[in-house]
Amino acid sequence: MAKPSSNPKKSLRAAYSGARKADPRPITGKEKPAELLAHAFSAYVGRQERTAFELMSKSMEQDASIFLTLSGAMTPAGLHQSCLIPLIEKGVISALTTTGANLYHDAHRIIGHAIREVNPNAGDLQYRLARIIRIYDLGFWEEALLDTDRLFSAIIRGPEFQKKMTTPEFHYLLGKAIYQIEKKLGVKQPSLLSTCYKHAVPIWVGAVQDGSIFLNIVKLKRLLGPEFKFELDINDDVYSMAAMQHFCRHNGSKQLAIWILGGGVPKNYTLQGEPLLDQILNVPTSGFDIDVQFCVDPVDNGALSSCPAGEGHTWGKVSVEAVESGSVYVHCDVTAVFPWLTHALLSDPKNKRKPMRLMDRMADAVDFLDADVQKRRKSLMKTLDWSVEDAEPSTEGDAEKHEAYVR
């Protein structure tokens, strides 16, 4: 039996005495961003923001493969122009998961349509009569949608699209086409699609049917029938995400980081690569090593958008290290915080590297995972069958049998 401490007060204070001191200093206007974050962001959401910056910097120091997820209407707000494209060009972002809407609305500007600031309280009935589309406090003419529909319809009719493919393959081809259009038009600010194509950053979209690019695919299929052979392979799409994470885990620095802007499908679609590997395919993995999230949702309503790293760890999505020291949930609007953190990160010259060009390694990644799955084929085949006899009938003793105790 352990001997009780002769000085319990001293024992209880030991951990506290080693904690980081809140170190506020007068702001002079001459501070570097990292210095300001270190001394003026000691508590509350400010501290979360500082921790996010530290983990983003750590992602770069460890040369981690950084999977960024982007939900919401972020390209109309310009977050891709201010933050994501510079981060891609500096080699920071390795892979991207987003919504079809973010890629679709990004195209408005490159074909000459402006997105303007509007009054969100001016009245939607009047906006509709004027044919102005509103995204909270942003607006654009209805013609922006119609012209963008024509753009994507024309591109996707191309011969290179007339086959089955994954969303990274699809968006790589779209990016290539948009890149060529931007060159012809003399576009000064490139789109997210063309930038990802140029730097071989794979783009996954986990719910393609929930965006207007796919709505135009529906139109093409109905109008052109058998002549239109484009098809998305959702099976290979999900597999490719897990394959890329598995490949990055065993190549390069072998460190994985996930930066989550918002929540929604992009968050889960990226994180579920780890349970697919470990739970479904029996391929050992440990989950993401660094987990940085920016979201306004409460964490206690069961929503996946806001679930913290600890909850994700129970599913095998993030590692022990992420839960203990490599995770932060910044409870804020992404647009209010991420531009400042991008500025702070890129203010340090060392936070740049050659792009990983993971899209160029996609086939290698799939082959790498295929080989591991094949090794486990015999044991995996045993997981394919089930019969009613395998189920345990409910009994009065079930409650006691399945009780969990937290000690």
Side-chain angles (χ1 to χ4, degrees):
M1 186 175 181
K3 185 179 179 180
S5 171
S6 59
N7 191 339
K9 178 180 177 181
K10 182 178 180 180
S11 176
L12 290 170
R13 285 189 168 187
Y16 170 80
S17 64
R20 179 172 177 164
K21 293 181 180 178
D23 185 23
R25 301 178 185 180
I27 295 174
T28 66
K30 299 178 181 179
E31 297 84 0
K32 293 180 180 179
E35 294 171 339
L36 192 62
L37 281 162
H39 300 292
F41 292 76
S42 298
Y44 319 133
V45 177
R47 178 176 167 184
Q48 295 169 5
E49 187 176 349
R50 185 196 72 204
T51 303
F53 172 70
E54 292 169 350
L55 290 176
M56 290 165 68
S57 298
K58 184 179 178 181
S59 302
M60 293 298 293
E61 290 166 7
Q62 295 184 348
D63 195 28
S65 299
I66 298 172
F67 288 69
L68 184 137
T69 79
L70 182 70
S71 63
M74 296 299 177
T75 57
L79 196 75
H80 63 310
Q81 296 288 356
S82 62
C83 302
L84 302 191
I85 288 176
L87 290 171
I88 290 170
E89 291 174 341
K90 291 292 194 301
V92 176
I93 297 172
S94 313
L96 175 67
T97 309
T98 187
T99 62
N102 272 322
L103 302 176
Y104 175 81
H105 291 304
D106 188 20
H108 301 334
R109 291 185 177 97
I110 69 170
I111 57 174
H113 287 284
I115 296 177
R116 303 181 186 279
E117 297 177 7
V118 300
N119 181 353
N121 302 310
D124 290 323
L125 298 180
Q126 285 76 15
Y127 280 140
R128 181 57 181 168
L129 288 173
R131 289 297 192 261
I132 295 172
I133 310 297
R134 181 172 75 89
I135 303 175
Y136 186 58
D137 58 358
L138 299 172
F140 48 87
W141 303 125
E142 185 180 51
E143 287 83 355
L145 298 180
L146 303 179
D147 289 346
T148 304
D149 291 338
R150 292 171 57 205
L151 170 70
F152 282 112
S153 293
I155 292 173
I156 300 169
R157 286 175 61 198
E160 66 273 28
F161 289 89
Q162 306 312 307
K163 60 181 179 180
K164 183 180 285 191
M165 63 185 73
T166 62
T167 59
E169 293 173 290
F170 177 50
H171 296 117
Y172 183 79
L173 291 175
L174 282 180
K176 182 179 180 180
I178 294 293
Y179 175 74
Q180 293 167 346
I181 290 170
E182 287 174 355
K183 286 178 65 177
K184 290 180 181 178
L185 293 176
V187 172
K188 294 181 179 179
Q189 286 188 305
S191 64
L192 188 58
L193 272 170
S194 68
T195 302
C196 286
Y197 160 74
K198 183 178 178 181
H199 297 285
V201 173
I203 302 175
W204 282 269
V205 170
V208 289
Q209 67 274 33
D210 197 27
S212 290
I213 294 177
F214 195 79
L215 298 186
N216 282 283
I217 292 171
V218 172
K219 174 184 68 178
L220 291 169
K221 184 65 177 177
R222 288 299 173 187
L223 291 177
L224 303 178
E227 174 190 337
F228 184 68
K229 295 180 173 59
F230 171 80
E231 187 177 347
L232 284 173
D233 190 327
I234 58 172
N235 192 313
D236 280 0
D237 201 69
V238 174
Y239 191 82
S240 70
M241 174 66 82
M244 186 54 73
Q245 291 172 14
H246 185 55
F247 183 79
C248 291
R249 171 63 73 191
H250 293 275
N251 291 274
S253 73
K254 304 180 181 180
Q255 297 295 302
L256 295 179
I258 183 167
W259 297 358
I260 303 164
L261 308 188
V265 172
K267 174 182 178 179
N268 185 57
Y269 203 73
T270 306
L271 285 171
Q272 73 178 3
E274 298 297 297
L276 174 58
L277 290 169
D278 191 60
Q279 172 194 338
I280 306 299
L281 299 175
N282 293 341
V283 175
T285 188
S286 56
F288 283 91
D289 304 294
I290 293 174
D291 175 273
V292 180
Q293 305 181 59
F294 303 86
C295 190
V296 296
D297 292 346
V299 300
D300 58 357
N301 64 0
L304 183 63
S305 287
S306 58
C307 85
E311 184 177 330
H313 177 64
T314 68
W315 292 83
K317 295 176 179 180
V318 301
S319 67
V320 173
E321 291 75 19
V323 177
E324 292 180 339
S325 60
S327 171
V328 66
Y329 181 91
V330 187
H331 198 266
C332 69
D333 178 350
V334 175
T335 62
V337 167
F338 199 70
W340 158 239
L341 292 181
T342 298
H343 170 65
L345 193 73
L346 297 184
S347 293
D348 189 337
K350 75 174 184 291
N351 285 328
K352 63 179 181 179
R353 59 187 177 183
K354 290 183 178 180
M356 292 186 174
R357 300 192 65 85
L358 294 184
M359 192 62 201
D360 293 343
R361 307 300 305 277
M362 185 66 75
D364 295 335
V366 171
D367 289 344
F368 186 68
L369 180 55
D370 280 345
D372 264 354
V373 172
Q374 193 59 35
K375 292 176 186 176
R376 294 162 175 78
R377 181 178 176 81
K378 186 175 180 180
S379 61
L380 286 171
M381 291 300 291
K382 297 177 182 178
T383 69
L384 305 186
D385 296 320
W386 182 88
S387 67
V388 70
E389 287 76 19
D390 294 329
E392 293 184 20
S394 299
T395 65
E396 291 183 2
D398 276 354
E400 290 185 13
K401 184 177 179 181
H402 294 108
E403 278 183 352
Y405 294 93
V406 178
R407 301 186 186 277

